[in-house]
Amino acid sequence: MQKVINFLLLFFLIAVSSSFNILKKGEVKWLTVEAMQKAYKNNPKPILVDIYTNWCHWCKVMDKETYQNEKVANYINQNYYAIKFNAETKESVKWQGRTFNYNSTYKVNEFAAYLTNGNLGYPTTVLLTAPDAQATTFAGYLKAGQLEPPLKYFGDSAYKTKTYPEFLKTFSVSW
């Protein structure tokens, strides 16, 4: 009888403790550059590129706290093509008819330098309205509430009718 009571008590404690998970985890559907380009041809929508390195502490924090936030992940998955790009990859990347290679002098893939206009810092979030559009970059760690305004500015196509400062005047952070 004592074993049954202990088992039920343990089950109850596990059930109660798991119900206190306040922040639900989400998962961004990351694509390769090639997969994004194919998908974009069939269904154009904005592009998010997360530029990271394996050694970057804040990149890992942003992965865990921002990109796994359920609201952030769901919004990105619905409104963007998302690419996770290691700035130090040695693999060649084809983008808009150009091939970008690893630059051993700077220890970076030229694609990361291209997207950031040479202003490399990690993490960097790059937003593009189209593959041939000018990149909008945000260097450094961004919390969900900091990422929400630019995501929605481009994701909801507000950029077509308003400047970013005009958009921010009426925007309320909800994440």
Side-chain angles (χ1 to χ4, degrees):
M1 183 64 171
Q2 186 64 30
K3 288 182 182 183
V4 171
I5 291 173
N6 287 343
F7 174 77
L8 291 174
L9 183 60
L10 179 63
F11 178 78
F12 176 76
L13 289 173
I14 291 171
V16 168
S17 67
S18 67
S19 69
F20 287 107
N21 185 8
I22 297 169
L23 182 66
K24 292 184 178 179
K25 299 285 184 190
E27 186 175 329
V28 174
K29 294 174 184 151
W30 298 107
L31 301 173
T32 64
V33 172
E34 298 79 20
M36 183 287 304
Q37 290 174 338
K38 287 178 185 174
Y40 187 89
K41 285 180 183 177
N42 295 327
N43 181 29
K45 58 183 176 178
I47 302 154
L48 178 146
V49 183
D50 174 40
I51 300 176
Y52 74 99
T53 63
N54 291 332
W55 51 262
C56 169
H57 167 74
W58 288 107
C59 299
K60 293 172 183 155
V61 173
M62 193 163 170
D63 281 344
K64 186 175 181 182
E65 294 182 6
T66 305
Y67 290 126
Q68 288 186 10
N69 176 298
E70 185 177 40
K71 290 180 180 179
V72 172
N74 288 341
Y75 187 84
I76 290 171
N77 290 338
Q78 288 177 344
N79 297 285
Y80 283 84
Y81 291 118
I83 300 169
K84 184 169 259 326
F85 187 75
N86 184 342
E88 296 178 330
T89 187
K90 293 182 177 163
E91 294 177 23
S92 294
V93 175
K94 293 185 183 206
W95 181 268
Q96 292 299 106
R98 290 180 58 186
T99 300
F100 296 91
N101 298 303
Y102 180 75
N103 184 316
S104 59
T105 303
Y106 296 105
K107 297 182 180 171
V108 68
N109 189 292
E110 294 165 343
F111 184 58
Y114 169 77
L115 288 176
T116 62
N117 202 30
N119 296 314
L120 294 165
Y122 310 110
T124 293
T125 304
V126 179
L127 301 177
L128 299 152
T129 56
D132 60 350
Q134 181 177 354
T136 301
T137 59
F138 300 90
Y141 167 74
L142 297 171
K143 295 179 182 179
Q146 294 170 310
L147 185 57
E148 183 182 9
L151 275 182
K152 290 189 174 176
Y153 179 68
F154 292 106
D156 294 343
S157 298
Y159 70 93
K160 292 179 179 178
T161 60
K162 299 178 185 178
T163 65
Y164 191 63
E166 290 171 340
F167 172 78
L168 287 177
K169 286 179 184 176
T170 59
F171 183 78
S172 297
V173 174
S174 61
W175 297 343

